């Protein structure tokens, strides 16, 4: 088993040191925290106990939260798929007027999601929201607190979670072989039959995975239930946060986290089994690029266009309102009324000019940047070891870094709290709870599995002749990695850095458990400022934060996916030949 880790007749001690470091990392931050949750749940006074489970079974609050979470997950499995499939079809499959503009609106959740999106919906539909004020002026005795509870949570999360459809289902639709559609048309099939019997069946594995992801997102929902659910509507994740704050009820939090973990494992098993199944594929030797299809029925065409632009309003209105209100004075924000004659930069001057307010923004940028860079760096090394040394140790190493996929992020956070509320020898007796570094560790842990998966896929797609040419020139494995392999997978690495950075920048779930009081993150600050009892000044700060974060996220995504990262350079990198390897080795 160790033979492939040898270099000549000598052990490659550099690689062994790296493996020892990863073994320490895995035990300290992937295994021990999870064992700590299990210990808190089932071990009391040195013996096995089920008292924590009994406490949960007798807690009406906990049982209601569990019921609400599963209800949200089941409903989202339908609503997210219905909306997600529709918006992809009208932008990529059918000829719909203004498809490019619609696509931008539907993809806005990639840069305007999470806690920002919830804050935006409150600005539109909340007690003093612009839509609420409009309805209040039309309907006598209208209840201004209408946007609350399960319906509000489902509404917000339905449109927030379609970003996965715009990423994965959209790519699948664009890869359709148009000859299959033409063949069905030649056989006399109508458009509905073609859609339901030819087109959609090709995406059964993709849609099954997206359904599981929607259910998983609803089950572990945190920000939406807290911000728009109201005091009377609680789900599992907010309850875990509440119970974890008190030492006496941490065992209940552990049971609820364990329930989420078991549910996630079952869902991952379903996804894995789904991936192994066959899918519908065209057997044509030369695929034809898809051409958009015109809807022949005039009535259906009209209804589709009306629904398309209604969804455009739903997706874009929160963003427009956030941007416009960010330039309004406090009085207009409090009233929920836009008056362009009172346009001002006062809010931006306060945020960008106030060191205490700007500190929160800088803190999140530092946390997100460090975590994203560290994750990508570590996972490049892990993926390289896994793909280069196909041994049992390498396989165990890979599976160990997939552990965070088996448990929700809240389980990770609770595990770090329970596991490191005291010092241990492998961390030199340092207590992590209450430190600045614990949140950074949680960020890194949470982003490792997906990063490793994508980087490994990128490495497996490389031409093996590149590494062989480097080895024939006498280059060491490390130099080959740095000079040849990393430049080739750089586009993937940058894309993963951007996705991780944008996701962590406004994180609330992990931050709510682990943030340091002297280093509040944007997620925590935005949540506080969105409270109904918060001052108008706080809400104005939230609006500026939202706009600035959208700009940053858009720029980052543009630099990686758009024209900012020259596509010719990406194509050139992907076509490195042996002569270029020789030139790199001579540098």
């Amino acid at each position: 088993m160790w033979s492939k880790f040898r270099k000549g007749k000598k052990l490659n001690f550099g690689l062994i040191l790296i493996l020892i470091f990863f073994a320490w990392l895995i035990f300290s931050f992937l295994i021990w925290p999870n064992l700590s949750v299990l210990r808190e749940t089932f071990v009391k006074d040195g013996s096995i106990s089920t008292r924590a489970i009994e406490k949960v079974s007798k807690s009406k609050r906990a049982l209601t939260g569990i019921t609400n979470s599963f209800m949200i997950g089941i409903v989202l499995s339908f609503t997210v798929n219905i909306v997600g499939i529709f918006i992809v079809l009208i932008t990529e499959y059918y000829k719909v007027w203004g498809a490019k503009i619609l696509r931008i609106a539907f993809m806005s959740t990639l840069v305007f999601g999470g806690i920002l999106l919830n804050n935006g919906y409150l600005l539109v539909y909340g007690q003093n929201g612009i839509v609420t004020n409009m309805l209040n002026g039309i309907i006598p005795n209208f209840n201004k607190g209408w946007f609350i509870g399960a319906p509000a949570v489902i509404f917000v999360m339905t449109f927030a979670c379609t970003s996965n459809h715009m990423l994965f289902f959209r790519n699948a639709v664009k890869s359709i072989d148009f000859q299959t559609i033409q063949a069905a048309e030649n056989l006399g099939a109508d458009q509905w039959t073609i859609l339901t019997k030819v087109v959609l069946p090709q995406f059964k594995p993709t849609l099954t995975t997206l359904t599981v992801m929607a259910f998983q997102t609803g089950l572990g929902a945190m920000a939406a239930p807290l911000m728009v659910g109201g005091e009377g509507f609680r789900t599992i994740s907010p309850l875990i946060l509440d119970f974890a704050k008190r030492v006496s009820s941490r065992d209940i939090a552990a049971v609820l986290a364990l329930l989420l973990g078991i549910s996630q494992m079952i869902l991952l098993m379903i996804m894995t089994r789904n991936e192994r199944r066959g899918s519908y594929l065209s057997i044509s030797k030369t695929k034809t690029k898809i051409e958009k299809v015109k809807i022949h029925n005039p009535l259906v065409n009209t209804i589709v266009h009306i629904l398309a632009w209604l969804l455009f309003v739903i997706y874009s209105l929160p963003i427009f309102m956030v941007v416009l209100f960010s330039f309004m004075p406090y009085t207009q924000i409090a009233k929920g009324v836009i008056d362009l004659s009172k346009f001002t930069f006062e809010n931006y001057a306060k945020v960008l000019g106030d060191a205490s307010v700007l500190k929160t923004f800088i803190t999140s940028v530092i946390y997100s940047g460090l975590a994203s860079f560290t994750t990508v760096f570590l996972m490049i090394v892990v993926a390289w070891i896994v793909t280069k040394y196909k041994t049992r140790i390498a396989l165990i190493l890979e599976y160990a870094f997939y552990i965070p996929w088996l448990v929700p992020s809240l389980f990770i956070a609770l595990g770090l709290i329970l596991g490191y509320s005291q010092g241990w020898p492998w961390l030199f007796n340092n207590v992590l709870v209450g430190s600045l570094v614990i949140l950074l560790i949680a960020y890194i842990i949470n982003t490792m599995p997906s990063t490793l998966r994508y980087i490994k896929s990128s490495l497996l797609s490389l031409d093996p002749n590149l590494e062989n040419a480097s080895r024939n020139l006498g280059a060491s494995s490390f130099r080959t990695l740095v000079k040849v392999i990393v430049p080739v997978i750089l586009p993937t690495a940058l894309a993963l850095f951007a996705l991780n950075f944008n996701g962590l920048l406004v994180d609330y779930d992990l931050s709510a458990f682990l943030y340091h009081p002297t280093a509040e993150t944007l997620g925590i600050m935005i949540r506080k400022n969105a409270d109904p009892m918060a001052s108008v000044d706080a809400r104005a700060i939230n609006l500026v934060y939202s706009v600035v974060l959208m700009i940053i996220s858009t720029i980052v995504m543009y630099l990686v996916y758009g024209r900012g990262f020259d596509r010719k350079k990406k194509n050139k990198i992907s076509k490195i030949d042996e002569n270029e390897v020789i030139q790199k080795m001579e540098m």
Side-chain angles (χ1 to χ4, degrees), residues 27-28 63 76 88 95 114 131 189 231 234 243 253 303 307 367 370-371 397 404 410 501 532 537-538 545 579:
F27 174 78
S28 299
L63 293 176
L76 288 183
V88 171
K95 288 182 179 179
V131 170
E231 290 296 327
R234 278 292 180 263
F243 287 130
I303 293 173
L307 290 176
Y367 268 124
L370 283 176
L397 181 70
L410 298 186
F501 180 84
D537 186 18
Y545 276 153
N579 292 328

Side-chain angles (χ1 to χ4, degrees), residues 201-217:
Q202 297 184 48
F203 312 122
K204 187 177 179 181
T206 302
L207 291 174
T208 302
T209 299
L210 289 170
T211 301
V212 172
M213 292 172 70
F215 179 83
Q216 179 182 339
T217 303

Side-chain angles (χ1 to χ4, degrees), residues 109-111 113-116 364 367-369 371-372 443 446-447 495-511 523 549 553 556-557:
T109 51
L110 293 172
V111 296
I115 201 163
L116 292 183
S364 284
Y367 268 124
S368 304
S372 302
Y443 281 175
N446 202 42
T447 52
L496 289 168
F497 175 88
L499 288 172
N500 291 340
F501 180 84
N502 285 349
L504 295 175
L505 198 57
V506 289
D507 168 78
Y508 177 74
D509 295 8
L510 290 172
S511 300
L549 287 171
S553 297
V556 171
M557 297 295 283

Side-chain angles (χ1 to χ4, degrees), residues 446-458:
N446 202 42
T447 52
M448 285 194 301
S450 57
T451 305
L452 174 59
R453 179 84 177 259
Y454 287 119
I455 290 178
K456 182 191 173 187
S457 298
S458 183

Side-chain angles (χ1 to χ4, degrees), residues 383-447:
W384 175 70
I385 293 173
V386 168
T387 54
K388 183 177 176 62
Y389 304 98
K390 302 184 184 300
T391 65
R392 192 176 302 171
I393 292 177
L395 188 63
I396 293 172
L397 181 70
E398 178 184 4
Y399 285 167
F401 280 107
Y402 287 147
I403 289 176
W405 255 352
L406 299 177
V407 294
S409 58
L410 298 186
F411 194 96
I412 295 170
L414 188 61
L416 289 172
I417 292 172
L418 298 175
Y420 291 109
S421 57
Q422 66 183 83
W424 296 99
W426 53 87
L427 284 186
F428 308 102
N429 294 317
N430 289 312
V431 177
L432 293 183
V433 174
S435 68
L436 290 169
V437 75
I438 191 171
L439 181 58
L440 178 63
I441 292 171
Y443 281 175
I444 294 170
I445 293 171
N446 202 42
T447 52

Side-chain angles (χ1 to χ4, degrees), residues 8 37 53 74 145 159 221 235 275 302 334 359 374 433 454 459 484 494:
V37 175
I53 297 176
I74 292 170
F159 300 106
T235 55
E275 286 178 348
T302 302
K359 178 187 173 184
T374 304
V433 174
Y454 287 119
L459 287 176
V484 178
L494 288 174

